[in-house]
Amino acid sequence: DWCSDLCSSDLYCHTRDYPAVACFASQAEVDRDLDWVEPTQPGGPAASVASSSSEAGPDWPQGVAYTIAYWDINYGGSALTVFGPLPYLGVLGWNDSVSSFKSVNCGLPRYYVDAEYSGSYWQNGCNAWSPSLGSYNDTFSSVVNEAP
């Protein structure tokens, strides 16, 4: 995978233009590229999201991030800001590598242990954070924003 040589040091990436993935040396550079600021605490008011539907799901509005995945527990190491469904995290070098994650913009990320959104999963609520994943640490293979 493309990450094997690059990921020996921390990378901060986003999937806004997927299948193109933009990576930077810091989260601040990601924030500048996206013209937003990564949340500094869980909860709080949701960011304004333009959508004709009141139901969250795979039809999440284009250009709106719904989760940030982290390589290490407590939001450490490399980070991946996710904008759309990712049926196989291995394409990005992230298969079985997520150790913590945040829900952002009131997204409802559902991380599955198998590719193509199958198997058991872990789902956060609106703007909830998971600093560690217990037995789910380093097990996720796909992610989608999905109503519970």
Side-chain angles (χ1 to χ4, degrees):
D1 65 56
W2 69 271
C3 187
S4 58
D5 293 328
L6 297 173
C7 291
S8 58
S9 61
D10 291 343
L11 287 177
Y12 303 84
C13 305
H14 69 74
T15 64
R16 181 188 60 199
D17 304 314
Y18 188 80
V21 177
C23 294
F24 302 89
S26 72
Q27 186 64 42
E29 291 176 89
V30 170
D31 292 352
R32 274 193 299 280
D33 191 53
L34 297 175
D35 194 29
W36 80 313
V37 177
E38 176 188 13
T40 58
Q41 62 184 24
S48 174
V49 175
S51 174
S52 60
S53 171
S54 61
E55 182 179 345
D59 298 324
W60 188 247
Q62 290 293 323
V64 178
Y66 64 93
T67 187
I68 304 172
Y70 296 87
W71 201 268
D72 298 327
I73 64 168
N74 297 316
Y75 321 112
S78 295
L80 179 66
T81 302
V82 181
F83 283 76
L86 295 174
Y88 180 54
L89 291 166
V91 170
L92 303 178
W94 277 77
N95 190 53
D96 296 341
S97 298
V98 176
S99 296
S100 57
F101 69 92
K102 300 175 181 178
S103 165
V104 296
N105 295 318
C106 214
L108 302 171
R110 186 179 287 185
Y111 285 83
Y112 289 88
V113 298
D114 296 322
E116 299 293 332
Y117 323 114
S118 62
S120 58
Y121 62 84
W122 180 306
Q123 184 169 19
N124 272 3
C126 171
N127 296 336
W129 292 12
S130 296
S132 64
L133 304 172
S135 64
Y136 281 90
N137 186 57
D138 293 342
T139 65
F140 300 129
S141 296
S142 57
V143 62
V144 66
N145 188 57
E146 197 165 308

